[in-house]
Amino acid sequence: MPQLKFYYAPGACSLAPHILLHEVGLPFDAIANEVTQNGANFIEGFHRINPKMRIPVIALDGEVITETIAVMTAIANLAPEKHLLGQTPLETLRVYEWMAWLSGTVHGQGFGELARPERFSDDPAAHDGIRAKGHKTIVDCYDMIEGKLTGVYAVGDSLTLVDPYLFVFFRWGNGLGLAMKEKYPNWAMLVSNLVKRSAVEAALKAENIDSTL
Ligand SMILES: N[C@@H](CCC(=O)N[C@@H](CS)C(=O)NCC(=O)O)C(=O)O
């Protein structure tokens, strides 16, 4: 059994791999950090673990993996019988299509611009405009997410990496004051099914947060 060390922050994007770890059901050590709208507070020496200064991070028998997509793939590989990367090669492609867009555009661009405008311009006078653009990108992407969802799961007929990641963005939409349930009924249905899973309950409890549904 591999030794697993998971670095997260309550309510951050790391909630998605945290849920996946509970789905897989192997024991792991969870190390909490803090990331808020205003900044981040990482454990002492975190820059040696991930010089990019971001969570999530997972260490598998000491091998450090960063980036949500790689972290979640590593977790999925621990339980191949659960098909968390999809049931077929085409579903796996769809999983990575979703994950790359959610990580790069929705998170990195939309939420990055909204919460960390200083990453996009050194000129403080530009920051309000960048925040506004980030908010618009998020809403445009959320409309697209709603249009892409048709069933209980984002890809195929079973849980994949994409569903817990979509849960993170649904919670963040609530945090932004968007009328998530009313505006995005397909997405709300996916999330209401997801929160019935014991793995979601366990991860929310461990992070001491609620589903905000
Ligand atoms: N590309 C990275 C981005 C991860 C990321 O930005 N994580 C946020 C938490 S949701 C973080 O660590 N933020 C620290 C900061 O903003 O200082 C990934 O997908 O894992």
Side-chain angles (χ1 to χ4, degrees):
M1 199 182 293
Q3 215 206 358
L4 304 175
K5 255 186 172 179
F6 176 61
Y7 299 83
Y8 75 102
C13 56
S14 47
L15 176 60
H18 203 172
I19 290 169
L20 216 63
L21 276 165
H22 283 285
E23 285 289 340
V24 162
L26 294 174
F28 63 94
D29 288 334
I31 297 119
N33 299 268
E34 195 188 353
V35 176
T36 68
Q37 281 286 104
N38 304 321
N41 192 8
F42 292 105
I43 59 156
E44 174 100 30
F46 186 74
H47 64 283
R48 282 190 295 274
I49 298 163
N50 183 7
K52 290 181 278 188
M53 297 302 277
R54 300 279 192 280
I55 48 89
V57 174
I58 195 161
L60 296 148
D61 288 331
E63 188 74 40
V64 171
I65 313 290
T66 66
E67 298 297 324
T68 304
I69 301 175
V71 168
M72 293 186 80
T73 300
I75 297 168
N77 285 342
L78 297 171
E81 73 285 358
K82 292 190 185 283
H83 301 288
L84 296 164
L85 300 172
Q87 304 272 356
T88 66
L90 179 59
E91 284 187 9
T92 302
L93 292 175
R94 293 294 174 215
V95 165
Y96 283 103
E97 184 177 53
W98 266 107
M99 294 298 289
W101 180 66
L102 291 173
S103 168
T105 304
V106 180
H107 190 196
Q109 187 183 324
F111 281 95
E113 286 177 330
L114 183 69
R116 301 284 189 266
E118 67 279 3
R119 287 184 190 153
F120 297 84
S121 171
D122 292 327
D123 177 7
H127 290 177
D128 279 350
I130 292 169
R131 279 194 198 93
K133 180 67 180 165
H135 194 277
K136 185 174 181 323
T137 298
I138 291 166
V139 172
D140 288 349
C141 289
Y142 277 26
D143 290 346
M144 217 177 285
I145 290 170
E146 176 66 12
K148 279 164 71 65
L149 297 174
T150 50
V152 174
Y153 302 101
V155 178
D157 295 326
S158 60
L159 186 84
T160 67
L161 313 190
V162 180
D163 305 300
Y165 207 19
L166 282 173
F167 177 48
V168 167
F169 296 112
F170 194 90
R171 287 187 80 256
W172 289 2
N174 279 325
L176 291 182
L178 302 176
M180 295 302 292
K181 256 173 146 174
E182 294 74 23
K183 212 170 157 208
Y184 306 115
N186 293 339
W187 194 357
M189 194 197 64
L190 181 146
V191 167
S192 65
N193 279 304
L194 192 74
V195 297
K196 291 180 194 144
R197 301 179 82 94
S198 58
V200 177
E201 198 186 328
L204 291 172
K205 191 165 173 228
E207 298 198 4
N208 197 20
I209 55 175
D210 60 35
S211 66
T212 72
L213 260 183

